[in-house]
C-alpha cells in the first residue's frame, strides 16, 4: 500500500481539479512499477495525459453505457404530440417529453398552454444490444413550483425498428395505468445505424441531449451570439389590476437564459445582455418566451417568438422589433453574432492597404462648392469608419488559480455594436492579431474594450480600457483598469486604431441628437458617488467664488494700477459695445486657450487656480488631504453635505417664491414699491440710452471706495426681496380661526374612520 508521500502527483492534481478527496474511496493507488509515467512531470501534463489515457476512456464508457464500444447509434427525432389530455385548470397543458434508453436520458422543451405541442428535437443515443434495449417516451405537464403531472407514456422495443433504413414517422398512443381517457398520441422518427455505416463514437460522447456541457466534449464552437434584451412594449396584461410581472426566457438548443422580473408594468425595460454559445451542431433558431410571474402558481404565458440566427451576418449588429404571438406585445432586442475560430488568428475582415485608400477616397472632403448642390444628404449619418486591431495582452491576472493561467478573450464595443475575439486557452499573454471594422455615426463616441476570462457558465472580468474615438489614430499600449475605470488593474493591452471620417458629415452629426446608449442605466444612490458629485460641484463653486473675490479686489482698489486699467477698459467697452462682440470675445477666449495649450501661454484656468482667493478657499480642502476618517467621521461628513444641499435648495426655492409673491400682491406695500420702481425705470430708459446707464452704474461701482473708504457693500435687490415672505413663512404666519380648526379636525376624524 502506498503512503501519502509515495503517491504519484496525479492524485494531488485530480483532488485540486475536482475539489474532492480520495480519502475513504474504493480507488486504489497504483504501485510504482505499474505507474506509466516515468520521471518528473508537472500536474497539468499528468492531468492531460490521464484524460487521454485508455483507463479514463474505458471507465467513462462503462459508467455511461456499460461498455466502451457502441455497435449501434440511435437517432430519435421527437416531432410532437396531438390531442393530449388537459392537466391544468384552464383546460390546457404545458407539455414536454422525456426520452429514455437504458441509462441515457433526454427531454424536449416545454410548449406552454397547448394540447398539440410541436417539438421537432433530435437526440442521439448509443446502444450495444438492440434486442435488449427499449425506448420509453414519457409526456409530462410542467408545473412551476409543484411536481410535474404525468400525461402519458409509451414503451417500445428497438428491435421493431429497421436498421440502416430511411427515416420513417411513427405515431403511438399514450397510456397510463388505471386511466381510460384518451391521453393523446406522440409522433417521432427513429434511425438506427450500425457501427459499419457510422463513424466510431468518441471517447466522450458529444450528445445534444445532455443538459450540461462537459469540458471534454468535442463540440465545435463556431461563434457567440450576443443578445441584448432592451425592452418590451404593450405586453398583454395578465393581472387583475391590468398589469403584469414579466420576465423573458431565451433558448438556443439546450442553453437557457432568464432575465430579471419587472414588477407591475406592461412596458418593462430590462437592458440585460446574454452571451450564448453557438456550436456547429446546435439549433439555429433562438426561442424567445415571455411569462408573467405568479407566486405559488404556474406562471402565465404572455407570448413567444423565434429568431433565425442563420440569417445574421457575422460581426454586424441588428436591432429588431419582434412581435410576440397571441398579441403578446413587441420585444426590442439587439443581436450580434461574433465568429470564433480558435485555429485562425487572422480576422475575416482584414483590410489591405488598397482598402484603406478606397475608404479615404469614400470619406474625403470635397472642396468644390458645386459638389454639394448634388450631394446625397440621406447618407449624412454615415460619418466614417473605425478600424480596430487587437494585437495582444500581457501580464493578465491568473483567473484559474489551480493552473495559474486564464482563458482570455476581448470584447470591443462602439455605439451599441459589440464584437469579440476568439478565446485563447491557458495563457496570460494572449496574441490575437484580430481586426474589426465599425461604421461610425458619431466621432464623439468612445471605444470600450473589456477583457474577460471565459469559464463554463460565466465570464470573469480581468480589465477594461475606454478611449475616445477622435484619438484613435495610432498604436496604443494601455494599462487595464477596473470595472469603474478609476484604478489601474493587472495587465496591459496593445491595440492599433485608425479613424477615417468625413469632417462635414461629422460636423452636421454633432448638431443632431446623440445616439441613445441602450445599455445605460441610471446609477443608484451610493455614498461614494454622492460625495464625488458634491466635490465636483463644490470645486466649480470655488472657481466661481474665486472670480467673484478677484473682481471684488478690483472694486476695492487693492492694486490701484490694475483697478484704474480695468476702469478705463470698462468705459471704452461700454461706449463701443455692439452685439457682434459677444461671439467675438468667446472666439478670442477659445483661440487663446488653444495657444496656451500648444505654445505655452498661461491659461485662464491657471490664473484662477493661482489667484489669492482660490488659495484661501482651498486651504481647508488641502488640510484635509491625506487624512483617514473613521466610519463615524464619514457619516458626519455625509450628513454635513446633505445639510448643505438642503439649505441650498431652501435658499433657491425661497427666493423664487418671494419673486412670485411680489407679483401677486401678497405684501401690498412691497408690490407698490416694485411697481413704482419699474415705472420710473421705464421712463428713464426711454429717454436715456441703456449704454450710458450701464456706464454710470459701473463708474459708481468702481469709484465708491475712492469716494468713501468706509463704504460697505450693499445688495439692494437681494435686500428688497428678503423682505418678502416665502410660501413656508406665509403658512407659518397664517391665522387659523376656531371654526376652521373644528372643520379641519372633523375632516381628519372622518378620514381616520
Amino acid at each position: 500500500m502506498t503512503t501519502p508521500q509515495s503517491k504519484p502527483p496525479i492524485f494531488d492534481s485530480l483532488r485540486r481539479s475536482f475539489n474532492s478527496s480520495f480519502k475513504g474511496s474504493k480507488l486504489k493507488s497504483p504501485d510504482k512499477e505499474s505507474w506509466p509515467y516515468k520521471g518528473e512531470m508537472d500536474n497539468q501534463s499528468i492531468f492531460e495525459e490521464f484524460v487521454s489515457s485508455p483507463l479514463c476512456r474505458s471507465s467513462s464508457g462503462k459508467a455511461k453505457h456499460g461498455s466502451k464500444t457502441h455497435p449501434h447509434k440511435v437517432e430519435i427525432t421527437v416531432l410532437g404530440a396531438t390531442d393530449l389530455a388537459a392537466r391544468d385548470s384552464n383546460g390546457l397543458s404545458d407539455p414536454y417529453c422525456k426520452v429514455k434508453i437504458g441509462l441515457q436520458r433526454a427531454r424536449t422543451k416545454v410548449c406552454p398552454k397547448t394540447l398539440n405541442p410541436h417539438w421537432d428535437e433530435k437526440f442521439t443515443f448509443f446502444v450495444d444490444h438492440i434486442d435488449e434495449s427499449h425506448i420509453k417516451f414519457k409526456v409530462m405537464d410542467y408545473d412551476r413550483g409543484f411536481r410535474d403531472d404525468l400525461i402519458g407514456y409509451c414503451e417500445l422495443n428497438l428491435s421493431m425498428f429497421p436498421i440502416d433504413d430511411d427515416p420513417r414517422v411513427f405515431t403511438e398512443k399514450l397510456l397510463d395505468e388505471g386511466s381510460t381517457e384518451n391521453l393523446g398520441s406522440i409522433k417521432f422518427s427513429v434511425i438506427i445505424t450500425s457501427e459499419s455505416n457510422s463513424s466510431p463514437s468518441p471517447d466522450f460522447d458529444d450528445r445534444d441531449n445532455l443538459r450540461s456541457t462537459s469540458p471534454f466534449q468535442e463540440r465545435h464552437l463556431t461563434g457567440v451570439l450576443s443578445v441584448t434584451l432592451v425592452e418590451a412594449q404593450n405586453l398583454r396584461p395578465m393581472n387583475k389590476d391590468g398589469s403584469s410581472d414579466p420576465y423573458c426566457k431565451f433558448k438556443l438548443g439546450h442553453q437557457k437564459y432568464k432575465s430579471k422580473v419587472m414588477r407591475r408594468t406592461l412596458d418593462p425595460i430590462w437592458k440585460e445582455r446574454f452571451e450564448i454559445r453557438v456550436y456547429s451542431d446546435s439549433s439555429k433558431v433562438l426561442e424567445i418566451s415571455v411569462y408573467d410571474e405568479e407566486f405559488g402558481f404556474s406562471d402565465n404565458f404572455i407570448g413567444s417568438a423565434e429568431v433565425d440566427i442563420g440569417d445574421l451576418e457575422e460581426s454586424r449588429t441588428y436591432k429588431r422589433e419582434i412581435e410576440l404571438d397571441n398579441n403578446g406585445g413587441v420585444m426590442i432586442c439587439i443581436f450580434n453574432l461574433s465568429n470564433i475560430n480558435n485555429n485562425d488568428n487572422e480576422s475575416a475582415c482584414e483590410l489591405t492597404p488598397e482598402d484603406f485608400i478606397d475608404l479615404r477616397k469614400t470619406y474625403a472632403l470635397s472642396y468644390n462648392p458645386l459638389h454639394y448642390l448634388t450631394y446625397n444628404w440621406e447618407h449624412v449619418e454615415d460619418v466614417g469608419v473605425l478600424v480596430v486591431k487587437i494585437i495582444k495582452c500581457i501580464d493578465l491576472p491568473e483567473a484559474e488559480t489551480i493552473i495559474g493561467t486564464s482563458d482570455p478573450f476581448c470584447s470591443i464595443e462602439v455605439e451599441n455594436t459589440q464584437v469579440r475575439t476568439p478565446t485563447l486557452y491557458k495563457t496570460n499573454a494572449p496574441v490575437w492579431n484580430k481586426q474589426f471594422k465599425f461604421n461610425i455615426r458619431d466621432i464623439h463616441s468612445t471605444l470600450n474594450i473589456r477583457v474577460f476570462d471565459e469559464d463554463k457558465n460565466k465570464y470573469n472580468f480581468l480589465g477594461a480600457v475606454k478611449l475616445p474615438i477622435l484619438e484613435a489614430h495610432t498604436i496604443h499600449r494601455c494599462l487595464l483598469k477596473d470595472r469603474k475605470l478609476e484604478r489601474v488593474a493587472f495587465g496591459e493591452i496593445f491595440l492599433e486604431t485608425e479613424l477615417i471620417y468625413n469632417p462635414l458629415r461629422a460636423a452636421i452629426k454633432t448638431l443632431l441628437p446623440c445616439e441613445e446608449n441602450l445599455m445605460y442605466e441610471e446609477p443608484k444612490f451610493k455614498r461614494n458617488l454622492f460625495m464625488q458629485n458634491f466635490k465636483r460641484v463644490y470645486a466649480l463653486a470655488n472657481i466661481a467664488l474665486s472670480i467673484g473675490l478677484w473682481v471684488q479686489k478690483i472694486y476695492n482698489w487693492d492694486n490701484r494700477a490694475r483697478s484704474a486699467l480695468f476702469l478705463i477698459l470698462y468705459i471704452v467697452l461700454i461706449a463701443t459695445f455692439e452685439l457682434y462682440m459677444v461671439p467675438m470675445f468667446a472666439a478670442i477666449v477659445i483661440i487663446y486657450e488653444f495657444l496656451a495649450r500648444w505654445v505655452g501661454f498661461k491659461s485662464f484656468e491657471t490664473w484662477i487656480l493661482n489667484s489669492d482667493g482660490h488659495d484661501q478657499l482651498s486651504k481647508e480642502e488641502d488640510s484635509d488631504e491625506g487624512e483617514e476618517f473613521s466610519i463615524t467621521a464619514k457619516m458626519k461628513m455625509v450628513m454635513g453635505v446633505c445639510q448643505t444641499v438642503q439649505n441650498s435648495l431652501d435658499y433657491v426655492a425661497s427666493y423664487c417664491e418671494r419673486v412670485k409673491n411680489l407679483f401677486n400682491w401678497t405684501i401690498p406695500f412691497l408690490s407698490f414699491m416694485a411697481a413704482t420702481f419699474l415705472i420710473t425705470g421705464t421712463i428713464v430708459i426711454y429717454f436715456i440710452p441703456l449704454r450710458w446707464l450701464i456706464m454710470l452704474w459701473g463708474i459708481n461701482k468702481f469709484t465708491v471706495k475712492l469716494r468713501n473708504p468706509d463704504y460697505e457693500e450693499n445688495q439692494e435687490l437681494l435686500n428688497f426681496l428678503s423682505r418678502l415672505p416665502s410660501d413656508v413663512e406665509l403658512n407659518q404666519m397664517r391665522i387659523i380661526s376656531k371654526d376652521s380648526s373644528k372643520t379641519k379636525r372633523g375632516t381628519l376624524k372622518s378620514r381616520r374612520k
Side-chain angles (χ1 to χ4, degrees):
M1 181 176 182
T2 60
T3 61
Q5 291 79 6
S6 63
K7 282 186 177 181
I10 182 61
F11 288 92
D12 295 332
S13 178
L14 290 175
R15 184 183 297 109
R16 289 193 300 269
S17 301
F18 295 101
N19 194 20
S20 61
S21 176
F22 287 98
K23 184 177 180 180
S25 176
K26 296 181 180 180
L27 293 175
K28 295 183 180 181
S29 304
D31 51 8
K32 294 183 178 179
E33 297 180 356
S34 60
W35 185 250
Y37 308 111
K38 308 299 181 182
E40 295 294 333
M41 296 181 66
D42 58 341
N43 292 337
Q44 179 62 24
S45 301
I46 295 175
F47 180 74
E48 294 174 355
E49 191 72 22
F50 174 78
V51 169
S52 60
S53 64
L55 175 64
C56 181
R57 292 197 300 267
S58 60
S59 61
S60 63
K62 292 177 182 178
K64 290 187 178 292
H65 309 296
S67 71
K68 66 178 182 179
T69 60
H70 309 288
H72 299 89
K73 182 174 72 172
V74 181
E75 297 180 359
I76 300 175
T77 302
V78 183
L79 300 175
T82 56
D83 300 331
L84 295 180
R87 290 293 184 263
D88 293 339
S89 58
N90 56 4
L92 300 173
S93 296
D94 303 322
Y96 66 92
C97 182
K98 291 182 177 181
V99 186
K100 179 182 178 183
I101 298 180
L103 298 177
Q104 304 174 63
R105 294 179 175 86
R107 64 170 275 181
T108 66
K109 64 183 180 182
V110 178
C111 292
K113 300 187 182 305
T114 180
L115 298 180
N116 299 283
H118 178 72
W119 292 298
D120 195 13
E121 295 189 40
K122 183 178 179 181
F123 308 101
T124 303
F125 302 88
F126 296 94
V127 178
D128 297 331
H129 305 286
I130 294 294
D131 297 337
E132 301 176 1
S133 301
H134 293 76
I135 177 174
K136 185 174 183 179
F137 297 94
K138 184 184 291 187
V139 181
M140 306 290 294
D141 171 59
Y142 176 75
D143 288 331
R144 184 180 180 86
F146 298 92
R147 186 175 181 180
D148 296 345
D149 300 326
L150 174 65
I151 297 178
Y153 69 92
C154 66
E155 186 172 357
L156 305 169
N157 195 305
L158 285 178
S159 60
M160 62 179 295
F161 301 102
I163 301 177
D164 299 334
D165 196 0
D166 295 333
R168 295 167 51 190
V169 178
F170 300 90
T171 302
E172 290 291 334
K173 289 187 176 181
L174 298 177
L175 305 174
D176 190 10
E177 297 180 359
S179 177
T180 58
E181 64 174 328
N182 183 18
L183 303 178
S185 57
I186 184 172
K187 294 182 179 180
F188 60 92
S189 65
V190 178
I191 301 177
I192 303 178
T193 307
S194 61
E195 187 179 19
S196 59
N197 295 333
S198 63
S199 59
S201 61
D203 298 332
F204 287 87
D205 296 333
D206 179 21
R207 293 171 297 165
D208 287 341
N209 56 349
L210 289 178
R211 284 288 177 190
S212 62
T213 304
S214 170
F216 308 113
Q217 289 180 349
E218 299 179 357
R219 303 185 68 184
H220 180 57
L221 182 64
T222 60
V224 174
L225 177 65
S226 175
V227 182
T228 303
L229 176 60
V230 182
E231 61 179 341
Q233 298 175 355
N234 302 324
L235 292 181
R236 186 153 45 97
M238 306 301 292
N239 298 335
K240 294 181 179 179
D241 58 356
S243 64
S244 296
D245 301 322
Y247 66 90
C248 186
K249 285 184 176 182
F250 296 96
K251 181 181 179 183
L252 182 64
H254 291 296
Q255 300 179 76
K256 294 183 178 180
Y257 298 88
K258 178 182 175 182
S259 70
K260 59 186 176 183
V261 181
M262 308 302 294
R263 301 295 178 186
R264 297 186 178 279
T265 179
L266 298 179
D267 301 300
I269 300 176
W270 285 286
K271 292 187 177 181
E272 292 187 69
R273 179 171 291 165
F274 305 93
E275 301 285 341
I276 305 176
R277 294 179 175 90
V278 179
Y279 296 93
S280 58
D281 57 346
S282 61
S283 174
K284 301 302 180 183
V285 177
L286 177 66
E287 302 173 12
I288 304 176
S289 304
V290 183
Y291 293 85
D292 169 62
E293 187 180 51
E294 293 288 344
F295 291 102
F297 301 94
S298 59
D299 294 346
N300 299 321
F301 176 71
I302 297 179
S304 63
E306 293 183 350
V307 177
D308 187 4
I309 65 174
D311 298 337
L312 304 180
E313 296 182 10
E314 298 171 357
S315 302
R316 182 178 175 184
T317 301
Y318 297 85
K319 181 180 178 181
R320 292 187 175 178
E321 296 184 0
I322 306 170
E323 294 186 2
L324 302 176
D325 56 8
N326 299 325
N327 296 324
V330 179
M331 302 290 296
I332 300 178
C333 300
I334 299 177
F335 302 96
N336 183 276
L337 182 61
S338 300
N339 182 28
I340 293 181
N341 189 353
N342 294 331
N343 299 323
D344 186 8
N345 285 333
E346 296 297 329
S347 173
C349 62
E350 187 77 23
L351 298 180
T352 62
E354 291 77 10
D355 296 333
F356 281 100
I357 294 175
D358 294 339
L359 288 174
R360 291 187 179 93
K361 291 181 180 179
T362 302
Y363 295 99
L365 181 64
S366 176
Y367 296 97
N368 183 10
L370 299 177
H371 169 75
Y372 297 102
L373 297 178
T374 59
Y375 189 76
N376 188 3
W377 296 100
E378 295 180 357
H379 304 287
V380 70
E381 292 192 356
D382 184 14
V383 174
V385 170
L386 174 66
V387 180
V388 181
K389 185 175 183 179
I390 305 298
I391 301 174
K392 64 178 180 178
C393 282
I394 60 174
D395 300 331
L396 292 180
E398 299 175 356
E400 300 179 8
T401 57
I402 299 175
I403 305 176
T405 59
S406 300
D407 302 330
F409 71 90
C410 193
S411 173
I412 307 100
E413 183 175 359
V414 177
E415 296 181 351
N416 294 320
T417 301
Q418 183 184 17
V419 295
R420 54 165 285 174
T421 64
T423 302
L424 302 182
Y425 296 96
K426 296 180 176 56
T427 179
N428 292 336
V431 178
W432 290 291
N433 286 328
K434 189 150 180 99
Q435 194 176 81
F436 302 94
K437 185 178 72 172
F438 299 91
N439 294 324
I440 301 300
R441 293 178 292 275
D442 189 355
I443 62 172
H444 307 287
S445 54
T446 57
L447 170 65
N448 301 306
I449 301 175
R450 293 175 294 174
V451 183
F452 295 92
D453 169 70
E454 182 177 353
D455 282 345
K456 179 180 177 181
N457 297 319
K458 64 177 182 178
Y459 297 147
N460 300 319
F461 178 81
L462 298 181
V465 171
K466 187 175 183 179
L467 299 173
I469 289 181
L470 276 175
E471 296 183 4
H473 55 270
T474 182
I475 298 178
H476 302 271
R477 179 178 180 178
C478 307
L479 293 173
L480 296 177
K481 298 181 180 180
D482 59 0
R483 287 183 181 272
K484 297 181 180 180
L485 299 171
E486 296 176 354
R487 298 180 181 179
V488 177
F490 294 99
E492 295 181 66
I493 185 170
F494 294 78
L495 62 146
E496 183 179 354
T497 55
E498 179 72 21
L499 176 63
I500 303 172
Y501 67 97
N502 184 283
L504 178 61
R505 298 181 187 178
I508 296 175
K509 182 61 179 179
T510 303
L511 303 177
L512 300 177
C514 298
E515 184 178 0
E516 180 187 4
N517 187 355
L518 299 175
M519 292 303 296
Y520 176 77
E521 294 185 6
E522 292 290 339
K524 298 180 181 179
F525 177 81
K526 294 182 180 180
R527 183 189 64 84
N528 295 336
L529 184 60
F530 178 76
M531 292 296 299
Q532 178 184 356
N533 293 337
F534 178 79
K535 290 180 180 179
R536 292 165 58 192
V537 176
Y538 184 74
L540 296 175
N542 276 352
I543 294 176
L545 197 55
S546 300
I547 297 174
L549 293 175
W550 184 70
V551 174
Q552 188 66 34
K553 286 185 177 183
I554 296 176
Y555 289 153
N556 294 337
W557 293 79
D558 294 344
N559 188 333
R560 291 181 175 270
R562 182 173 60 183
S563 298
L565 177 62
F566 273 93
L567 176 59
I568 296 173
L569 290 176
Y570 177 80
I571 294 174
V572 173
L573 179 64
I574 297 301
T576 61
F577 178 79
E578 297 294 341
L579 189 60
Y580 70 87
M581 294 183 179
V582 175
M584 183 186 70
F585 283 125
I588 290 174
V589 173
I590 293 177
I591 295 174
Y592 180 85
E593 287 293 329
F594 173 79
L595 296 176
R597 179 176 181 182
W598 297 105
V599 180
F601 295 162
K602 191 176 182 180
S603 63
F604 289 110
E605 185 178 3
T606 305
W607 281 353
I608 295 173
L609 294 177
N610 294 336
S611 64
D612 298 336
H614 186 272
D615 294 339
Q616 294 176 2
L617 291 171
S618 59
K619 281 183 179 179
E620 295 183 3
E621 185 177 353
D622 294 339
S623 62
D624 293 339
E625 254 184 44
E627 295 185 8
E628 294 184 0
F629 300 98
S630 61
I631 297 178
T632 306
K634 291 180 180 179
M635 293 300 298
K636 289 182 179 180
M637 187 184 301
V638 173
M639 293 299 296
V641 172
C642 294
Q643 184 177 1
T644 303
V645 174
Q646 170 188 300
N647 296 338
S648 301
L649 293 176
D650 176 67
Y651 181 83
V652 174
S654 297
Y655 270 95
C656 292
E657 292 171 354
R658 286 166 181 163
V659 173
K660 180 197 69 174
N661 295 332
L662 174 65
F663 286 92
N664 60 16
W665 292 79
T666 302
I667 305 297
F669 177 78
L670 296 176
S671 299
F672 181 78
M673 283 185 60
T676 304
F677 290 150
L678 292 175
I679 293 173
T680 305
T682 303
I683 296 173
V684 171
I685 294 174
Y686 181 79
F687 289 101
I688 302 176
L690 181 62
R691 183 192 306 272
W692 302 111
L693 292 176
I694 296 176
M695 184 182 297
L696 292 175
W697 174 85
I699 294 173
N700 175 68
K701 196 75 173 177
F702 269 98
T703 60
V704 66
K705 278 290 184 178
L706 291 177
R707 292 182 280 108
N708 184 10
D710 298 330
Y711 174 79
E712 294 183 0
E713 188 69 25
N714 184 26
Q715 301 290 341
E716 293 84 358
L717 181 60
L718 294 180
N719 294 335
F720 176 78
L721 291 177
S722 64
R723 268 61 177 185
L724 284 159
S726 64
D727 291 350
V728 176
E729 295 172 341
L730 286 176
N731 187 41
Q732 293 173 351
M733 295 184 295
R734 186 168 59 90
I735 299 176
I736 301 177
S737 62
K738 188 175 181 180
D739 297 336
S740 62
S741 64
K742 288 182 179 180
T743 305
K744 187 174 182 180
R745 289 176 183 175
T747 304
L748 292 175
K749 288 181 179 179
S750 62
R751 288 181 180 178
R752 291 175 181 174
K753 290 181 180 180

